[in-house]
Structures are given as C-alpha cells and as structure tokens.
C-alpha cells in the first residue's frame, strides 16, 4: 500500500530534522585543537640554539665571501693600474684570470646560500618533529579529533565551541 504524498513529505522532513540533530550532536562531541607554530617556535630553547648555530655558520660564509671579494677587488685594481702597460697576451691572461675569479666567487656565494638553506632545514626538522609529537600527544590526551597548525592566518575564524587554542599548552609541554 502506497503512502499518501503529504505523509511522505512529513516523513522526509522528520528524517531530515533527525539527521541534522544527529549531525549537530556529533559536531558538539567532536572538538579540534589548533596552534600558532611561530609562537611555539619562538618559545623553544632548541630554536634559539639552532638560530645561534646558523648565525655562526652564516658569519663564517660571509667572512669568506668578504675575503674573496677583497681579493678580487685588489686584483682588479692592480689590473686597471697596469692594463695600459701590459702586452696584449698578458692583458688577455689577466682578464681571463679575473673572469675565472669572479665566476668562482659567484659559484661560492650560490653554494653557500644552498648550504645555509640545507643547514636550516636540517637544524629545524628535529624542532618541528618535537612540535608534531607534542601536538599528537596533547590531541590524544584531550580527545581532540585533529590538531591544526594555524600559522599565517589560515584560520580567520574558529568557533570556540569546537576548536581549542592549544598554543600555550604546547609551549608549556616543550619547555
């Protein structure tokens, strides 16, 4: 026997209302955590140590680049002072030497930048790992559905009924 149209519409409305009520109840039970990674990093002593080591390494590269530039500049000035008196073969040889020296300086600068970026990545990875472990631990202990890194204004709005800022808790855990 077929259900009358009016009853079918009422049944569908009741089912839809029940589904919405269950979704709201489920959402009320599900909470998530979020944190500001930049704030957590700034509070970590490991980051301070890593930054100091990276600054020391950068200063060594900078000192070597400065020495190389000073050497190049001295040779270039010497070349300019004597270029009118050099025989053609000596002039070409000195120009070639300067070009090779300049190219080596450029290559060294590029390699130093690459090595510094790699050193930063290597120095920060254990720190980022500690943050991820702490976030997982906090999430599990507080029965959070998930934890999000909310850096760079990725979450312009969080409803406090569902989301919990765990930045301070992570900072405390990592000290």
């Amino acid at each position: 026997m077929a259900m009358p149209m009016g009853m079918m519409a009422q049944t569908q409305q009741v089912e839809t209302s029940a589904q919405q009520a269950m979704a709201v109840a489920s959402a009320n039970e599900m909470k998530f955590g979020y944190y500001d990674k930049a704030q957590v990093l700034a509070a970590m002593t490991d980051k301070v140590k890593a930054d100091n080591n990276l600054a020391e390494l950068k200063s060594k590269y900078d000192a070597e680049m400065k020495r190389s530039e000073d050497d190049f500049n001295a040779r270039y000035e010497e070349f300019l002072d004597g270029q009118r008196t050099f025989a053609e073969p000596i002039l070409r040889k000195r120009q070639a030497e300067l070009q090779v020296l300049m190219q080596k300086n450029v290559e060294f600068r590029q390699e130093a930048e690459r090595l510094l970026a790699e050193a930063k990545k290597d120095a920060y990875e254990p720190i980022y790992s500690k943050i991820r472990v702490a976030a997982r631990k906090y999430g599990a202990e507080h029965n959070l559905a998930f934890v999000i890194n909310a850096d760079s204004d990725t979450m312009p709005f969080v409803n406090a009924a569902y989301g919990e800022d765990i930045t301070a808790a992570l900072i405390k855990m990592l000290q």
Side-chain angles (χ1 to χ4, degrees):
M1 179 165 142
M3 205 185 292
M5 280 298 257
M7 263 180 106
M8 194 178 339
Q10 284 179 334
T11 303
Q12 286 177 340
Q13 282 180 332
V14 170
E15 287 176 4
T16 301
S17 295
Q19 288 171 343
Q20 288 173 342
M22 286 178 25
V24 168
S26 175
N28 284 336
E29 293 170 14
M30 184 175 90
K31 290 192 75 145
F32 67 92
Y34 60 93
Y35 65 97
D36 184 332
K37 185 166 131 184
Q39 278 186 319
V40 175
L41 275 173
M44 293 180 70
T45 57
D46 289 355
K47 181 185 181 292
V48 173
K49 290 175 191 172
D51 286 345
N52 288 340
N53 291 340
L54 290 168
E56 184 181 326
L57 182 60
K58 184 180 181 322
S59 72
K60 288 177 182 177
Y61 282 124
D62 287 345
E64 180 57 26
M65 284 186 262
K66 174 86 170 100
R67 187 200 63 76
S68 295
E69 286 175 18
D70 291 347
D71 182 45
F72 174 82
N73 289 338
R75 288 181 184 214
Y76 185 68
E77 285 177 25
E78 183 182 305
F79 170 78
L80 289 176
D81 289 343
Q83 89 181 44
R84 291 191 179 110
T85 62
F86 293 148
E88 189 62 29
I90 295 173
L91 183 66
R92 284 195 306 267
K93 177 187 172 283
R94 297 270 178 105
Q95 284 176 330
E97 287 173 350
L98 287 171
Q99 287 174 340
V100 166
L101 191 56
M102 187 182 336
Q103 182 60 35
K104 285 184 179 189
N105 287 347
V106 168
E107 289 170 0
F108 178 76
R109 180 178 301 277
Q110 291 170 343
E111 180 68 2
E113 289 172 3
R114 185 190 69 76
L115 290 171
L116 282 170
E118 187 176 306
K120 183 176 181 178
K121 181 180 154 241
D122 291 347
Y124 277 37
E125 183 49 41
I127 298 167
Y128 294 151
S129 179
K130 284 181 180 181
I131 294 172
R132 287 190 299 268
V133 167
R136 277 190 217 102
K137 182 178 178 187
Y138 186 92
E141 288 173 355
H142 291 85
N143 203 26
L144 299 176
F146 52 90
V147 175
I148 299 171
N149 170 13
D151 259 356
S152 304
D153 199 29
T154 55
M155 293 185 355
F157 171 75
V158 175
N159 186 330
Y162 305 108
E164 175 186 350
D165 185 352
I166 66 170
T167 302
L170 291 181
I171 290 171
K172 186 175 179 180
M173 287 174 73
L174 292 166
Q175 288 181 341

